[in-house]
Amino acid sequence: MAALVLPAALLVFTLLVAPMALLARISLNHYSPTELMVEAFTAENYIRAVADPYYQQVLATTLGVAFLCTVLTVLLGFPAAYWLARMESNRKSIATILTLLPLLVGNVVRSAGWMALLGNEGGINAALRALHLTSGPLQLLYTPGAVIVGITAVVLPYMVLTLAAVIESIPRQAEEAAANLGATASTVFRRVVLPLSLPGVAAGSVLVFILCMNAYATPLLLGGPQFKMMAPAVYDQFVRGNNWPFGAALAFILLVATLVLTVIGSMALSRRYRG
Amino acid sequence: MAESRGMFFKSAVVASYALMLAPVVMVIIISFFRQEIISFPPEGLTMQWYVNAWERREFARGFVTSLQVAAIATAIGVPLGTAAAYALARAKLPGREAISTLLLGPLAVPGVVAGTALYMFYLRAETWLDQDITATLSGLVAAHVLLTIPWTVRLVTASLQGMDRSAEEAAANLGARPPTVFMRVTLPMLRPGVVAAALFSFIQSFENLELTLLLVGPGRTTLPVAMLSYLEFRMDPTLAAVATVQILLVTAMMLITDRFVRLSRVI
């Protein structure tokens, strides 16, 4: 019976682990404009990526956007998750579908929606003009703000669903008992609901942060040509640049930066949770 | 004071759902606008863009390719993932934790990293095998099977954990051999989990972008990649019509899944 695990394990090993080992090896190769990739064992791609001000800026932008979006997602997602978790069961099914639907239709479709909303002739500018709040169109699309709104919207369902699962496991009686003993709504929230849902906040933030760091379609479509995040920069090296060793090094820098910050973040959160 | 806090809570809930749903709703609305350049209010409503979208070959072929890839990848990945989940739950496996981490790996590795790694791997394998892999149906299917495994393992494991084992034991006591027990007792009881896994796998494959992006080629593009290349130049009602078809397909599949398993319980 144990052999039943083999086909799936072999498949994941061949199509994920082996390719990543190969990518790691390629990141140590040398690139020459005439011969493209030359077999070597050098850290030059990593050094170039870390030293180049352009890529420093790209990484800084990516980190900034990921932090901001994660914080926004927690602040917006918590009330939504609480609302979803404490809902009556027959309406809850519909609300869950409405939370899952945007997640499952894909990033490209949602980016298209934001383009239609944020464009100069788009929904938001048309509404502002109809209300006589603005005279000319506001530049909303192709701005960093558009990317932040777009990514926050993309990752929000993950946070809401993760938090809702944790909040659901908090017995209502705990809240009711605190309220009966005279705690105000905000005290119940601060002293009962929030401490008990911190593991969910940690898990949700980690998941969302990883997704933000690696966002591809949203920054590409909503950010405009000047705005660069890491994931599109990695693909550029493979599609346009043909500099595979450098692209591979960028991919690993992105992976390591994501992992290190995720580990630090969840350690800090879990320490607070225990204390 | 309590009043204003309640208001804050309600507005955060409304803002969250507006952010999540507004772009989806907007795409559907735009797809019926008569004018080609998006502007409000609409000059009239039409279904013309759906015809247009179907007549654009990249969308029609992308749609068919995406359906094919998702269907084949699901048909391969769900049985493999179900078998693996069953073995993980029931067999005495050395290194169970490590295997489980490996199988959930495709969910944890960012799509950009996995996508570029797979592209390099395919190019290398093409040289070894002297055969095309990128831009072929089998190359795409293999990549997408990778997406279906972690979802299947996760959903089927959840059903296995919630399952009452006494029926299996009764069948075994009555003389049924292990394969018979699995086919006649375990598998029927796992049906909701397997159906959910199949539908989720299909959707994950159908909408995947990052893993697919470098593996497509001229004449063989998936729908999300075709939409992305189009959107890099413009957003118009034709694209909105294509996106609306994808939204309808995903909604239909979710509603079917919800009949088998309560979605609010499996995610």
Side-chain angles (χ1 to χ4, degrees), chain A residues 76 93 99 105-106 121 214 235, chain B residues 16-17 110 207 210 214 246 258:
Chain A
L76 282 168
S93 186
T99 317
V105 295
E121 296 297 322
N214 293 282
Y235 271 125
Chain B
S16 288
Y17 278 89
E207 60 114 356
E210 280 93 343
L214 295 172
Q246 182 164 337
D258 197 51

Side-chain angles (χ1 to χ4, degrees), chain A residues 58-125:
Chain A
V58 173
L59 188 60
T61 307
T62 310
L63 289 171
V65 169
F67 274 119
L68 191 57
C69 290
T70 307
V71 172
L72 280 174
T73 313
V74 174
L75 293 179
L76 282 168
F78 205 103
Y82 189 83
W83 176 75
L84 182 65
R86 291 287 186 243
M87 192 178 269
E88 296 304 322
S89 68
N90 46 348
R91 284 165 59 215
K92 191 175 194 165
S93 186
I94 300 166
T96 309
I97 288 180
L98 286 180
T99 317
L100 264 176
L101 176 69
L103 192 154
L104 293 178
V105 295
N107 296 347
V108 183
V109 170
R110 281 185 288 176
S111 294
W114 285 114
M115 289 170 89
L117 275 166
L118 300 174
N120 285 350
E121 296 297 322
I124 291 174
N125 268 316

Side-chain angles (χ1 to χ4, degrees), chain A residues 1-2 7 12 15 76 79 89 93 96 98-99 101-102 105-106 113-114 121 123 126 153 214 216 231 235 238-239 244, chain B residues 16-17 19-21 23 27 38 40 80 86 90 93 102 110 112 118 120 123 142 207 210 213-214 246 251 258 262 264:
Chain A
M1 193 159 75
V12 175
L15 295 176
L76 282 168
S89 68
S93 186
T96 309
L98 286 180
T99 317
L101 176 69
V105 295
W114 285 114
E121 296 297 322
N214 293 282
Y216 178 77
Y235 271 125
F238 286 90
V239 180
W244 294 344
Chain B
S16 288
Y17 278 89
L19 270 178
M20 291 192 271
L21 294 170
V27 161
I38 294 171
F40 287 83
L80 291 187
Y86 183 69
R90 296 291 161 80
L93 275 180
L102 173 73
V112 192
L118 203 54
M120 290 289 103
L123 292 182
E207 60 114 356
E210 280 93 343
L213 205 55
L214 295 172
Q246 182 164 337
T251 311
D258 197 51
R262 294 293 299 273
S264 48

Side-chain angles (χ1 to χ4, degrees), chain A residues 239-255:
Chain A
V239 180
R240 304 204 174 91
N242 268 325
N243 189 342
W244 294 344
F246 188 64
L250 281 181
F252 273 97
I253 289 172
L254 175 60
L255 185 67

Side-chain angles (χ1 to χ4, degrees), chain B residues 20-36:
Chain B
M20 291 192 271
L21 294 170
V24 179
V25 173
M26 197 59 179
V27 161
I28 300 174
I29 295 175
I30 293 282
S31 73
F32 297 109
F33 277 23
R34 184 178 294 156
Q35 68 273 30
E36 188 169 1

Side-chain angles (χ1 to χ4, degrees), chain A residues 26 39 48 51 68 91 115 128 150 166 168 179 204 226 230 232 244 246-248 256 271:
Chain A
I26 287 175
E39 201 85 1
R48 184 190 144 199
L68 191 57
R91 284 165 59 215
M115 289 170 89
L128 290 174
V166 175
E168 239 172 89
Q226 300 301 316
M230 280 297 275
W244 294 344
F246 188 64
V256 170
R271 185 170 307 154

